Amino acid sequence: GAVVSQHPSWVICKSGTSVKIECRSLDFQATTMFWYRQFPKQSLMLMATSNEGSKATYEQGVEKDKFLINHASLTLSTLTVTSAHPEDSSFYICSARDLREVAYNQPQHFGDGTRLSIL
Amino acid sequence: RKEVEQDPGPFNVPEGATVAFNCTYSNSASQSFFWYRQDCRKEPKLLMSVYSSGNEDGRFTAQLNRASQYISLLIRDSKLSDSATYLCVATRGFPGNQFYFGTGTSLTVIP
């Protein structure tokens, strides 16, 4: 099955540090990847849609200058949390859709998530 | 109003029990629906898609009622390994790109 790899799986940083999270599709190509954030006991919230070769589309309320997204190839998207603060501590998950699965009723393939803790 | 709403539970059931989860979605333009399973501190994993005609996969049965805008998941003969959080998903946009998750329903199957 389709595999999405996310790295790192766990990050602990000081406040003010910028953190980069990578999302890779290992056995398929994805023109579109998605970034979610999940706080404890809450649902996954879509932050942005990452489009290969173009600017990401951010959901309402998500600061694009705070969460920088780069989707430079069909298999890699990165999310950089700039100048992270304790309130940015969360579980960040990416997902991707196989380029060949361009139809309704196709699920997204999720990475295994990155747990970010800002001290 | 949230796009997708679920009863968070928790549901604590004995092994072998049948348990049902319901989920409602607010936007009638929602196109596709899924149930995902999420274990503690892990990523969501696809459990099954949900079709209008209803569909079954082993002990799991999913139903969709577009008129009432609700989705259900039935688990028969619960196993200990079924303990997890079950997430309901509705999609919108082209081609069904925007995934909207419910908050999840927690299930614990007790020996």
Side-chain angles (χ1 to χ4, degrees):
Chain A
V3 177
V4 176
S5 172
Q6 208 172 319
H7 177 80
S9 56
W10 200 310
V11 184
I12 302 175
C13 292
K14 291 182 181 179
S15 185
T17 307
S18 291
V19 179
K20 181 187 281 189
I21 303 170
E22 292 186 349
C23 179
R24 293 181 186 273
S25 56
L26 297 186
D27 53 356
F28 65 96
Q29 293 183 323
T31 51
T32 306
M33 292 185 176
F34 306 89
W35 288 97
Y36 295 84
R37 181 168 52 182
Q38 185 179 33
F39 291 106
K41 298 189 185 298
Q42 295 188 24
S43 62
L44 279 76
M45 296 299 296
L46 179 64
M47 299 174 65
T49 302
S50 169
N51 303 298
E52 187 267 336
S54 65
K55 290 182 180 179
T57 304
Y58 289 81
E59 294 298 301
Q60 191 173 9
V62 178
E63 301 173 56
K64 58 182 66 175
D65 294 330
K66 172 78 173 177
F67 300 99
L68 301 179
I69 291 173
N70 184 282
H71 192 155
S73 77
L74 288 173
T75 58
L76 173 65
S77 175
T78 61
L79 169 69
T80 301
V81 183
T82 61
S83 187
H85 292 284
E87 59 266 28
D88 297 322
S89 299
S90 186
F91 190 46
Y92 292 84
I93 309 177
C94 72
S95 71
R97 294 189 76 185
D98 192 323
L99 187 61
R100 298 163 296 183
E101 293 176 344
V102 183
Y104 297 106
N105 273 351
Q106 296 300 324
Q108 294 179 4
H109 307 288
F110 284 85
D112 41 15
T114 296
R115 197 158 299 280
L116 176 62
S117 297
I118 306 298
L119 305 176
Chain B
R1 185 182 174 188
K2 290 182 182 176
E3 185 91 16
V4 177
E5 301 218 41
Q6 282 182 259
D7 179 352
F11 285 68
N12 300 313
V13 303
E15 264 186 296
T18 296
V19 61
F21 305 138
N22 290 323
C23 168
T24 58
Y25 60 96
S26 60
N27 196 314
S28 59
S30 298
Q31 297 149 336
S32 305
F33 306 90
F34 303 95
W35 282 100
Y36 276 77
R37 169 195 169 128
Q38 186 175 29
D39 293 291
C40 188
R41 295 175 173 267
K42 299 283 190 180
E43 79 280 16
K45 292 189 183 297
L46 179 66
L47 182 64
M48 59 196 305
S49 302
V50 187
Y51 302 118
S52 297
S53 54
N55 49 301
E56 189 174 305
D57 182 3
R59 297 181 293 109
F60 299 87
T61 301
Q63 296 277 357
L64 166 63
N65 185 319
R66 284 193 182 271
S68 303
Q69 295 183 197
Y70 84 79
I71 309 148
S72 65
L73 176 69
L74 183 76
I75 305 175
R76 291 181 298 278
D77 188 24
S78 300
K79 311 288 184 192
L80 296 178
S81 56
D82 294 334
S83 298
T85 296
Y86 291 82
L87 302 168
C88 173
V89 177
T91 78
R92 279 197 285 123
F94 179 79
N97 271 345
Q98 281 77 45
F99 268 42
Y100 295 90
F101 285 84
T103 51
T105 299
S106 173
L107 171 67
T108 301
V109 180
I110 304 163

